[in-house]
Amino acid sequence: MRYLVTGGAGFVGSHVVLALLDAGHTVAVLDNFSTGHHDAVPVGVQVHDIDLIDYKATARIVAQESWDAVLHFAALSLVGASMQDPFFYLRQNYLTSMNLIQACVDHGVKKFVFSSTAALFGGPERSTPIAETALIQPSSPYGESKFMIERVLHWADQIYGLKSACLRYFNAAGADHKGRAGEDHRPETHLIPRAIDAVLDRGPALKLFGLDYPTRDGSCVRDYIHVTDLAEAHIRILDYINARSVVYNLGNGHGYSNLEVIQSVERVSGRKVPWEPAERRQGDSATLVADSTTLRRETGWLPRWGELDKIVETAFIWRQNNAGGYKA
């Protein structure tokens, strides 16, 4: 099969590219490299340095090949930044995705996989674990932008027949177990790599945002899914959207607190993580844990790297071996 992956130079996108290549498919990457890295794209993969905000350029790439599916990972993704500049986040994520979806419709693409988010469920009125039927109540413009795109895909199916999978990720983490890819955001805002940098003396003490949440130890609880497990779920899901569109929550179903993540980094590294408490961040929810029952039942997918220490270990090894992150 031939697949176009937008944001394929980013953290999740690059791991999905590897999974597709490992499965024997042909892959091309579309990325504007605003946050992605050239070195994250495997050698030999065709790269289109295009910004999705440019519809004509986007449509030209979509029209170049007969793509069996388009997988869309390109987006602004920081909750805190979206609270500081909401209109930019809403506009950018919505318009770039609109351009891509329209180009797919205009040029005969039949299947579309969308990187959505658990931030759709950020509000307080929900139970845990969170099922796909839970109340959509984004607590940030970032989450709101993803829901807007899900609705566009709904109508693209209803009117034009574009079948889609909206995959509501919980916390992607870890690194390729073969060392081919890892997590490298600049600046880095995710807890596991920040804790690893702190323990390796590559940055300041870790700031832990909020210790007064209604959780077992006062820190936020999150469902961490290994990025390789997440990538493998995409391979299975591609076979399930030939006749219908689907919406799946994608997580392990286990919640770990921020303090438990710190303890895991300490076990893996054998060192103490220097950290200090800080005020809560706007837009952060106390607990986000997935109910992925539907995904598992319908596709047979099961996470292979579900234990927190395994997730942290792969992240630690990659970050230890790539002190400066990607070169480009």
Side-chain angles (χ1 to χ4, degrees), residues 46-297:
Q46 186 178 29
V47 176
H48 302 284
D49 190 346
I50 296 293
D51 195 319
L52 293 172
I53 204 70
D54 184 338
Y55 176 76
K56 289 184 178 179
T58 300
R60 185 174 67 250
I61 300 304
V62 174
Q64 277 184 2
E65 302 276 356
S66 179
W67 305 107
D68 291 286
V70 169
L71 297 92
H72 181 37
F73 303 94
L76 302 173
S77 61
L78 300 180
V79 170
S82 79
M83 298 294 286
Q84 295 168 5
D85 200 350
F87 298 131
F88 178 65
Y89 256 70
L90 290 165
R91 182 185 304 112
Q92 192 75 7
N93 282 351
Y94 181 71
L95 291 179
T96 54
S97 298
M98 275 283 293
N99 283 344
L100 181 63
I101 295 166
Q102 183 178 342
C104 288
V105 168
D106 289 347
H107 296 286
V109 176
K110 301 299 183 184
K111 296 194 288 188
F112 192 99
V113 179
F114 174 51
S115 169
S116 192
T117 176
L120 270 62
F121 308 112
E125 297 179 19
R126 53 171 171 69
S127 59
T128 297
I130 301 167
E132 289 86 355
T133 55
L135 178 67
I136 302 296
Q137 195 178 25
S139 60
S140 68
Y142 163 66
E144 189 72 41
S145 72
K146 292 287 189 172
F147 183 52
M148 292 162 62
I149 299 160
E150 286 197 11
R151 296 306 299 166
V152 173
L153 286 168
H154 166 78
W155 290 112
D157 182 5
Q158 294 295 306
I159 298 172
Y160 300 107
L162 176 64
K163 303 305 176 188
S164 63
C166 294
L167 307 182
R168 295 165 176 173
Y169 303 166
F170 283 64
N171 282 48
D176 175 61
H177 68 282
K178 296 180 181 178
R180 296 173 295 177
E183 187 169 9
D184 182 12
H185 301 102
R186 302 179 188 181
E188 186 58 70
T189 63
H190 292 178
L191 177 60
I192 290 176
R194 286 174 52 241
I196 292 170
D197 281 352
V199 86
L200 292 175
D201 297 322
R202 292 178 180 164
L206 174 69
K207 289 187 182 297
L208 205 58
F209 298 106
L211 288 172
D212 57 349
Y213 287 95
T215 60
R216 53 184 172 267
D217 59 21
S219 64
C220 291
V221 172
R222 294 291 183 266
D223 183 335
Y224 289 91
I225 176 171
H226 196 285
V227 66
T228 298
D229 285 331
L230 186 152
E232 290 177 353
H234 287 72
I235 307 299
R236 288 181 177 267
I237 288 165
L238 282 166
D239 293 332
Y240 283 82
I241 54 175
N242 293 316
R244 65 186 179 99
S245 293
V246 296
V247 176
Y248 293 128
N249 286 350
L250 190 44
N252 274 324
H254 302 291
Y256 298 99
S257 74
N258 288 349
L259 287 173
E260 289 167 342
V261 169
I262 289 174
Q263 292 162 7
S264 177
V265 173
E266 291 178 342
R267 286 193 298 271
V268 168
S269 68
R271 311 175 197 176
K272 285 291 183 182
V273 175
W275 67 275
E276 57 190 38
E279 295 295 320
R280 290 187 185 191
R281 294 183 302 190
Q282 277 189 305
D284 278 346
S285 301
T287 303
L288 289 173
V289 178
D291 179 352
S292 297
T293 303
T294 304
L295 171 65
R296 298 185 188 204
R297 182 181 67 249

